[in-house]
Amino acid sequence: MEQNKIPQATAKRLPLYYRFLNNLNQQGKKRVSSKELSDAVKVDSATIRRDFSYFGALGKKGYGYNVEYLLGFFRSTLDQHEVTEVALIGVGNLGTAFLHYNFMKNNNIRITTAFDADTEKVGTDIGGVPVYDIRDLEEKLEDIKVAILTVPAVEAQVIADKLVEKGISGILNFTPARISVPKHIRVHHIDLAVELQALVYFLKHYSLDNPE
Ligand code: ATP
């Protein structure tokens, strides 16, 4: 497949480029320079030029990149023509925030199903998403392949095992627990506490004026 030729680091930046170009397109802009892109997405312009060369988009000097061409490429590469459904497990503070947060408005990924163990939450509808009993995971997960994990850390592994058993392909793990899954399952781990701690540490010890 064509996509397989794109390096992973480049692929990770695709959604970032996509979001910005989508905004430009909505404003009626036809072209964009790598400098403009660079300032907006905070990726240096040499990297942007290299990334875009993988997409067959060669910017012209003094013209920049054609916004529509790039958007077309991103849409097909990011599978924007089909909606990807995501399940969220654990409708606590963080999970509830995700259900309410409209972070998907510019792409075709939607949280469509949520699960919790708390009988008070089961049967409710949060941010337009139905909350089902975790015991009904098998029946309600259907063919959803991506899950967001916002359960307590101690529950993470058990839930991950269940998700794997039900045929999940990818897990975005927001719990501090490091989960083990078979090799063919992709897990991305986001620990907000660790990220914040790292930021505070860097602020204290590494000045941006003097990166050395
Ligand atoms: P958060 O961690 O998102 O801030 P919180 O502090 O409100 O949430 P937690 O105790 O972390 O609550 O639990 C997160 C959510 O996960 C709760 O809604 C809880 O009912 C749910 N939960 C706990 N155990 C399970 C489980 N085994 N399966 C599904 N959901 C669970």
Side-chain angles (χ1 to χ4, degrees):
M1 242 179 13
E2 190 64 25
Q3 268 142 274
N4 291 342
K5 290 191 200 134
I6 301 173
Q8 285 202 24
T10 300
K12 271 201 156 177
R13 287 187 284 271
L14 275 181
L16 200 65
Y17 294 144
Y18 176 73
R19 188 168 53 190
F20 179 68
L21 286 161
N22 212 14
N23 287 340
L24 285 185
N25 191 43
Q26 276 162 10
Q27 291 159 22
K29 282 201 74 169
K30 298 280 175 236
R31 53 186 175 156
V32 62
S33 68
S34 45
K35 167 85 170 61
E36 257 177 293
L37 260 168
S38 170
D39 290 345
V41 298
K42 305 275 182 281
V43 174
D44 67 273
S45 31
T47 303
I48 289 182
R49 279 193 294 273
R50 200 183 51 238
D51 282 353
F52 282 22
S53 69
Y54 294 115
F55 318 150
L58 303 168
K60 292 192 203 94
K61 248 204 158 27
Y63 176 89
Y65 296 95
N66 183 305
V67 172
E68 254 175 24
Y69 171 86
L70 283 171
L71 267 182
F73 177 86
F74 291 151
R75 277 203 192 100
S76 56
T77 308
L78 292 168
D79 280 338
Q80 291 298 301
H81 47 276
E82 56 183 62
V83 173
T84 302
E85 297 191 346
V86 176
L88 179 136
I89 328 288
V91 191
N93 287 309
L94 193 56
T96 301
F98 288 158
L99 295 183
H100 284 297
Y101 182 46
N102 195 11
F103 60 108
M104 304 299 187
K105 66 174 177 251
N106 275 337
N107 67 35
N108 279 6
I109 302 173
R110 308 258 180 282
I111 301 174
T112 52
T113 311
F115 295 91
D116 205 285
D118 183 344
T119 49
E120 300 266 305
K121 291 172 183 168
V122 170
T124 62
D125 194 294
I126 298 178
V129 180
V131 181
Y132 297 117
D133 194 317
I134 187 68
R135 287 174 300 187
D136 297 334
L137 189 69
E138 178 158 26
E139 179 195 335
K140 302 288 184 193
L141 194 63
E142 293 181 339
D143 46 9
I144 295 181
K145 295 291 174 212
V146 182
I148 298 176
L149 214 52
T150 43
V151 290
V154 291
E155 303 288 341
Q157 187 63 56
V158 177
I159 303 287
D161 291 345
K162 279 190 191 153
L163 287 167
V164 169
E165 197 184 307
K166 306 292 173 251
I168 211 83
S169 311
I171 298 175
L172 189 56
N173 177 19
F174 277 92
T175 80
R178 295 279 164 174
I179 52 178
S180 315
V181 294
K183 272 204 202 74
H184 63 283
I185 314 286
R186 188 177 268 276
V187 176
H188 284 194
H189 187 245
I190 301 178
D191 187 324
L192 296 178
V194 167
E195 296 295 331
L196 259 181
Q197 228 167 10
L199 174 64
V200 170
Y201 181 84
F202 273 77
L203 286 177
K204 271 193 196 142
H205 298 281
Y206 299 92
S207 155
L208 278 181
D209 299 332
N210 179 15
E212 258 49 78

